[in-house]
Amino acid sequence: MNSSGQPLNGVRVLDLTTFLSGPFCTQILADLGAEVIKVEPPDGDSSRHIPPHFLDGQSLYFLGINRNKQSISIDLKTDRGRQLLLELIAKADIVVENFRPGVARRIGLDIEKITASRPQLIWASISGFGQTGPDNTKPAYDMIVQALSGVMSITGEVGRPAVRLGIPAGDTVAGLYVCIAICAALHRRNLTDRGDIIDVAMLDCQLAMLSYQSTYSLVAGVDPGPQGAMHDSIPTYRSFKARDGRELVVTANTEKMWQGLCRTLNLPELAGDERFATASDRLTNREELWQLLEAAFLEKDAAEHVDNLQRNDVPAALIKRVPEALDDARTASRDMIVAMQSPKGKRIEVVGDPIKFASGQHPEPTYPPALGQDNVSVLSEWLGMPRSVADELLADGVLGVGSA
């Protein structure tokens, strides 16, 4: 990837992560111009093999979170492999890993010792429950932290079982927080010439994402419960079903928007109804209000309601299926659907980087790497290793057979 001019141009990242939280984080860093080297075991990142969708033998799951990276395959069960990894770490600006706490030390990575010998190094660890605490060695996945954080308890409909979020927020939010921490650590390193060790727990991130719901619970002592497609503070901030069966959302969260909602639905009398005079009144009498609004929304099709509401400055939108949303993104001129071409010439589309800079566009993304495809070039560029030595390491089984 030609990252010249990108914010993280010249920053070297060693990516020791697998599956989703870590690769999602390092893909953001790569999109921002960092040189990201993905270090994989001989059988590759486990996400390369996730069914059911594959292209040229690679899982689409893997292809969606590993663009703009290079891959080197090292057998860390060998002494030479562990030494090789330490040599690469010595050349990196940032190391990102999502080992379970304790695993790094078992494979020969003493983080404190490494960072003490290289005080400029930024080491970022992602785990389920953090590097400290009673549960730090327990395994964690997206659904585990969604469950333990309370997120699942407020997702879904009242009276029905808890529901996992449709997006893997347990993983991706942790990846985002690590990116934020890394960028902050880079800034401080520029000022002090010192790196840091970053500890991000997936569970902590989900707790942080509870936002105002956590404050309601901590201060007001409430158990929020399932939210459905509603808001527990604003009764006119929810979804409605229209005449054609489609659903739309309305977010009338100010007095002006409430007035606009009444006008749009031809219910001007509601604006003067003492039951709904204030935001607090509307919340107290929300069940009565909802009956009136639900009946009004059944009188027209969803798209017509959306047009009418928007004309009256009431925010509203259709609830779209994923293919619809992606089709819209393709025509929105925001570069949110980008194309990549595989080594075999196949063109695929993926969701692009949402970060836009006025200084310029992102370069075209590069296709996610085949396992070990950059063994030789990385060892040459980072360590000055001759091709003949890399070939010996391959023959000895230190490098994975994916070498190119």
Side-chain angles (χ1 to χ4, degrees):
M1 175 185 182
N2 178 12
S3 59
S4 178
Q6 292 292 93
L8 296 183
N9 181 38
V11 175
R12 283 181 163 181
V13 178
L14 209 57
D15 177 3
L16 310 184
T17 69
T18 62
F19 224 76
L20 181 52
S21 62
F24 184 78
C25 165
T26 54
Q27 178 171 272
I28 296 172
L29 298 175
D31 283 346
L32 293 174
E35 180 184 2
V36 176
I37 307 301
K38 186 175 179 67
V39 180
E40 302 184 70
D43 57 351
D45 182 336
S46 56
S47 69
R48 288 182 180 272
H49 315 295
I50 295 176
H53 306 294
F54 294 87
L55 180 66
D56 294 337
Q58 302 234 59
S59 172
L60 295 191
Y61 190 110
F62 176 86
L63 297 181
I65 51 174
N66 284 286
R67 63 173 175 258
N68 296 330
K69 302 179 187 179
Q70 301 174 67
S71 170
I72 180 170
S73 178
I74 303 176
D75 187 352
L76 297 180
K77 295 179 181 179
T78 66
D79 291 339
R80 184 66 183 97
R82 290 190 291 272
Q83 180 58 39
L84 190 61
L85 179 57
L86 289 172
E87 293 173 21
L88 290 170
I89 290 172
K91 300 293 184 179
D93 296 294
I94 301 161
V95 175
V96 185
E97 49 91 359
N98 60 353
F99 300 124
R100 198 184 309 180
V103 170
R105 188 176 294 275
R106 288 203 298 273
I107 64 173
L109 299 177
D110 186 327
I111 299 172
E112 287 74 19
K113 184 178 179 180
I114 291 170
T115 53
S117 65
R118 284 212 54 224
Q120 298 84 13
L121 180 66
I122 296 169
W123 188 289
S125 297
I126 310 171
S127 62
F129 305 103
Q131 301 301 306
T132 59
D135 297 325
N136 70 323
T137 61
K138 290 183 178 180
Y141 292 92
D142 174 81
M143 195 167 176
I144 297 293
V145 297
Q146 285 197 32
L148 292 174
S149 65
V151 166
M152 284 183 64
S153 77
I154 61 174
T155 306
E157 299 291 340
V158 175
R160 297 184 62 81
V163 177
R164 171 185 172 272
L165 291 172
I167 58 172
D171 283 301
T172 56
V173 169
L176 287 170
Y177 269 109
V178 174
C179 282
I180 294 168
I182 286 172
C183 289
L186 279 171
H187 174 69
R188 184 167 62 186
R189 191 182 74 173
N190 289 338
L191 299 176
T192 66
D193 201 34
R194 297 194 66 85
D196 212 333
I197 299 175
I198 298 166
D199 171 12
V200 170
M202 294 168 63
L203 178 59
D204 294 349
C205 296
Q206 288 300 282
L207 291 171
M209 293 299 286
L210 288 173
S211 186
Y212 65 87
Q213 294 289 8
S214 64
T215 310
Y216 287 0
S217 184
L218 291 167
V219 180
V222 300
D223 179 358
Q227 301 296 295
M230 299 177 289
H231 195 295
D232 54 5
S233 294
I234 308 169
T236 51
Y237 192 109
R238 55 158 287 185
S239 68
F240 294 93
K241 182 175 286 188
R243 180 176 62 189
D244 57 355
R246 288 209 66 170
E247 292 178 282
L248 68 150
V249 294
V250 178
T251 59
N253 59 357
T254 69
E255 193 63 30
K256 181 180 178 181
M257 293 174 188
W258 159 246
Q259 300 285 340
L261 177 64
C262 295
R263 288 196 307 274
T264 305
L265 296 179
N266 295 318
L267 295 172
E269 67 277 8
L270 295 188
D273 192 316
E274 62 181 15
R275 294 173 298 171
F276 314 127
T278 68
S280 293
D281 292 331
R282 292 191 287 275
L283 183 61
T284 299
N285 299 300
R286 58 187 176 276
E287 295 292 343
E288 297 169 75
L289 176 60
W290 285 340
Q291 289 183 15
L292 297 168
L293 295 179
E294 287 167 359
F297 275 107
L298 288 173
E299 294 180 1
K300 295 179 181 178
D301 291 348
E304 186 178 358
H305 276 306
V306 169
D307 289 342
N308 292 339
L309 287 163
Q310 290 179 347
R311 277 197 296 271
N312 279 293
D313 297 321
V314 181
L318 294 173
I319 295 179
K320 297 191 175 183
R321 308 287 293 185
V322 171
E324 288 182 280
L326 296 176
D327 283 343
D328 287 348
R330 188 178 289 108
T331 59
S333 301
R334 293 282 301 168
D335 294 325
M336 282 309 300
I337 304 296
V338 296
M340 302 186 299
Q341 186 166 303
S342 76
K344 295 185 178 180
K346 294 180 180 177
R347 181 180 179 275
I348 68 168
E349 290 182 321
V350 294
V351 171
D353 183 358
I355 301 173
K356 315 299 181 186
F357 292 99
S359 56
Q361 299 294 319
H362 284 290
E364 289 295 318
T366 61
Y367 198 79
L371 177 61
Q373 75 171 33
D374 305 294
N375 282 352
V376 172
S377 61
V378 169
L379 294 177
S380 173
E381 293 170 15
W382 282 45
L383 304 181
M385 182 179 291
R387 174 68 186 251
S388 60
V389 177
D391 288 341
E392 290 176 9
L393 293 174
L394 178 61
D396 292 340
V398 175
L399 296 178
V401 294
S403 177

